[in-house]
Amino acid sequence: MLDAPPVADDLSPVGILDRTRQLLPLVDSLKAEGERERRAPAALIDAIKQAGLFRLLQPRRYGGAECHPATFFAVQAALSAGDMSVGWLQGVMGMVAFHLALLPPEAQDDVWRDDPMALLASSYMPAGKATRVPGGFRLSGRWGFSSGADHADWFMLGAMAVLEGEGPEHVIFLVPRADVRIHDTWDTIGLRGTGSHDVSVEDGFVPAHRRHGVQERFLIGGPGRAVNLAPLYHIPLPQMLFRAISTPALGGLRGMLDTFIEHSRRRAGPSGGGPLADPVAQLACGETAAELDEMTRTLEGNFDRMLDHARQGRDAPIPDRMLYRVHATSVVERCDRLARRLFKAAGASALSVANPLGRVCADIQAARQHAANQYEIYGRTLGAHLFQLDVKDTLL
């Protein structure tokens, strides 16, 4: 491995969040372009790269920050307050760097040895088919919802494969951009700037070291942990993935609340009337602020507990992981309910395209549609466990 430049001189949470705040004017200025073009502008992606915000979970041996998950998600929320599509991309693509750190060192070198700032996109759905051949696998398939595909250098793609002579297993394969075709399919009512297009691979060869089994992921395993020793990499990957999909709604709702308050002040004028004096609007703002604080503190506390287990060389207990997942997956449902209350309280002026409140509502609703945010499924699983029923669940 070549020596990698540090992501930045200051890897402290304060330094990381300062760099994030410095990007917010650029995020705001390019928001309309991302919406129109259905992808994040290249200049914005480059600025996020240069600030090191895609590398917060990357191993330090490649110049990454190996930061606390709470810092990573605080960055994602801050970017999402400016534009949920941007926060979504930073979080989802930054999360795949965490996943790569669990793969064999050879796979990590394939991506980061020559370019420590390489970007990764993903689609974990088992939409591909992999056939074992000498030295690896032949992979074919078409996957949906690969956020940031236009900007990615490598992809993590899910497929069913026969590994050790048993039945097919869900496996994630690491594939270079050269083997991937991007299909322009993303045209949506929300999260338009994520560019979450379909991608496909036709009979691509994947060396054996570029794979990671979903069962291995559930067991908090992976050969990469032999070289990446930080407690961070002992956190269950699904817990990180669920939060990367739900945290943009926290940031989007925070930005919406700030916008609502400022919009209400402008409408009130010197007399102080309008929404400022409306007890319904006051209650909507107060409850939104309180629930945002609660959900954020829950996120931080859950990862503190998981890191405590990791530092002691223990896995987080399965019942705890079930609970954490429900915490994560219920976030967008709660944010959607609160966002709709703010939108209603804003009155008819919120219908204007120039008013960002409607756009945030659409972005939160788009996030709610993601399979990982269907909290009802995960709530039922936790409930079945509480009833002491036999629950087989590896998405923890």
Side-chain angles (χ1 to χ4, degrees), residues 38-86:
R38 300 173 294 114
R39 55 175 282 173
L44 181 55
I45 293 295
D46 187 62
I48 296 172
K49 283 178 68 173
Q50 296 304 319
L53 303 185
F54 288 117
R55 304 176 66 195
L56 298 180
L57 301 177
Q58 183 185 32
R60 283 185 183 265
R61 65 198 192 93
Y62 292 103
E66 286 187 8
C67 76
H68 192 294
T71 301
F72 176 80
F73 292 116
V75 168
Q76 187 183 31
L79 292 173
S80 298
D83 184 347
M84 269 186 65
S85 289
V86 175

Side-chain angles (χ1 to χ4, degrees), residues 62-195:
Y62 292 103
E66 286 187 8
C67 76
H68 192 294
T71 301
F72 176 80
F73 292 116
V75 168
Q76 187 183 31
L79 292 173
S80 298
D83 184 347
M84 269 186 65
S85 289
V86 175
W88 183 281
L89 287 177
Q90 179 273 333
V92 170
M93 300 180 83
M95 185 57 54
V96 190
F98 175 90
H99 191 174
L100 179 56
L102 306 179
L103 269 65
E106 299 93 332
Q108 298 174 52
D109 281 346
D110 288 347
V111 176
W112 287 323
R113 179 182 52 222
D114 296 328
D115 183 6
M117 298 178 72
L119 293 183
L120 298 103
S122 64
S123 183
Y124 288 133
M125 62 177 65
K129 180 179 179 181
T131 304
R132 186 181 285 278
V133 296
F137 298 84
R138 306 300 306 193
L139 175 66
S140 294
R142 178 163 173 158
W143 296 262
F145 310 108
S146 186
S147 299
D150 289 318
H151 305 288
D153 303 295
W154 291 78
F155 291 79
M156 291 271 211
L157 302 173
M160 301 305 295
V162 176
L163 298 181
E164 308 300 337
E166 301 178 356
E169 180 182 339
H170 186 182
V171 179
I172 309 300
F173 291 96
L174 174 66
V175 182
R177 171 67 174 264
D179 291 351
V180 176
R181 180 184 175 190
I182 299 172
H183 304 267
D184 187 350
T185 54
W186 188 248
D187 193 4
T188 57
I189 61 171
L191 295 177
R192 287 178 59 83
T194 63

Side-chain angles (χ1 to χ4, degrees), residues 194-383:
T194 63
S196 302
H197 299 298
D198 286 9
V199 297
S200 64
V201 174
E202 185 173 351
D203 195 33
F205 175 72
V206 184
H209 66 269
R210 293 186 192 161
R211 66 175 173 86
H212 189 219
V214 169
Q215 179 66 23
E216 185 177 30
R217 181 178 78 178
F218 166 69
L219 297 173
I220 319 183
R225 290 184 52 227
V227 292
N228 298 320
L229 305 177
L232 171 67
Y233 301 111
H234 201 79
I235 291 176
L237 174 62
Q239 299 292 334
M240 303 287 283
L241 294 173
F242 279 116
R243 284 295 185 178
I245 297 301
S246 65
T247 299
L250 284 176
L253 182 61
R254 168 57 66 185
M256 186 178 187
L257 176 60
D258 293 344
T259 299
F260 178 88
I261 292 171
E262 180 58 32
H263 174 70
S264 298
R265 287 192 180 119
R266 290 198 303 269
R267 288 179 62 196
S271 65
L276 291 182
D278 181 358
V280 174
Q282 293 169 1
L283 178 61
C285 289
E287 290 188 347
T288 298
E291 292 200 39
L292 280 169
D293 182 77
E294 174 204 334
M295 289 185 280
T296 301
R297 289 178 184 274
T298 297
L299 181 158
E300 294 168 350
N302 288 354
F303 282 110
D304 281 340
R305 287 188 286 274
M306 282 186 270
L307 280 174
D308 284 343
H309 285 292
R311 293 185 184 107
Q312 297 169 33
R314 297 185 288 113
D315 293 346
I318 295 297
D320 290 0
R321 289 157 68 176
M322 287 182 172
L323 182 64
Y324 300 156
R325 182 175 63 181
V326 176
H327 286 161
T329 57
S330 62
V331 160
V332 183
E333 177 75 8
R334 296 175 66 182
C335 288
D336 179 52
R337 171 177 53 81
L338 294 163
R340 284 186 280 111
R341 288 182 64 194
L342 290 176
F343 184 81
K344 180 180 178 181
S349 63
L351 296 173
S352 171
V353 174
N355 189 319
L357 298 182
R359 174 183 170 172
V360 178
C361 281
D363 286 344
I364 291 176
Q365 186 59 54
R368 176 65 178 89
Q369 299 302 101
H370 194 286
N373 287 325
Q374 307 309 307
Y375 78 96
E376 299 92 341
I377 300 170
Y378 309 116
R380 288 197 300 268
T381 301
L382 175 60

